[in-house]
Every structure is written in structure tokens, then in C-alpha cells.
Amino acid sequence: MPPEPLPMPSSPDGGTTATLERELLEQEVEPGDHERFAHYVKKEKILESALTGEPVIALCGKVWVPGRDPNKFPVCPACKAIIDGLKRREGNDDGSKG
């Protein structure tokens, strides 16, 4: 037999109130070499992150919130290898340093 639902609390005007719940999805932000390298991320993801503050995921799998000038850092060797492989296979450049 299922448990009885709890009664809804009443508001002063006689109506009922309810609490809305939403699931919060968080990406684990990894400390480490994202501070030493510029990583490849799709341009639209960088823009979205700038507007929302949400972390991005680089081609190499690093998760972080972009906030530094990528031109001041060397390119991540793992991201570089992935983007070079994609360029050779597909002949295009979909990534952007971030």
C-alpha cells in the first residue's frame, strides 16, 4: 500500500502553496593544466559559457570555465592531436582555441 501524500500547506488567503523543485546538473571542474594550456572548444560553447558562466568541455575532456586569453598559453597537446586528426580525416576546422 503506497504512503499517503502529505497535505499541501495553506496560505493566509486560503489557497495552497507548493515548492517547485528542479534538478541541478553540475559539471565537475577539474583543477590543473587548464591553467597552463589553451584548449579547443566550439566557438558557440565559449560564447554560451561567457553568457551563462557554465563550464565548457574541451576536445581533450578538460572541464573549466574560460576566463583567460588563450593566446597567452601554448595549445594543449591532446587537443592539438585531436584537432589535427579531425582535419586530416575531414579536411575542415570546427574548433576554436579557448
Side-chain angles (χ1 to χ4, degrees):
M1 188 166 169
E4 291 290 321
L6 296 174
M8 298 293 285
S10 295
S11 65
D13 64 359
T16 59
T17 60
T19 302
L20 295 177
E21 293 184 27
R22 65 178 175 173
E23 187 175 334
L24 180 61
L25 300 176
E26 291 186 19
Q27 285 282 353
E28 190 74 26
V29 178
E30 298 177 15
D33 70 352
H34 68 274
E35 303 213 9
R36 297 187 313 228
F37 293 115
H39 295 274
Y40 280 93
V41 177
K42 288 187 175 184
K43 290 177 185 176
E44 53 271 7
K45 293 293 182 183
I46 294 171
L47 178 60
E48 182 180 322
S49 176
L51 295 173
T52 65
E54 295 291 319
V56 295
I57 303 173
L59 287 178
C60 67
K62 289 294 177 184
V63 179
W64 86 107
V65 177
R68 296 186 176 170
D69 181 3
N71 295 321
K72 294 181 179 180
F73 299 93
V75 174
C76 166
C79 283
K80 178 86 169 124
I82 293 168
I83 200 77
D84 287 347
L86 289 172
K87 284 180 184 178
R88 279 193 301 272
R89 190 166 20 137
E90 298 176 7
N92 64 6
D93 180 8
D94 290 332
S96 172
K97 280 197 310 187

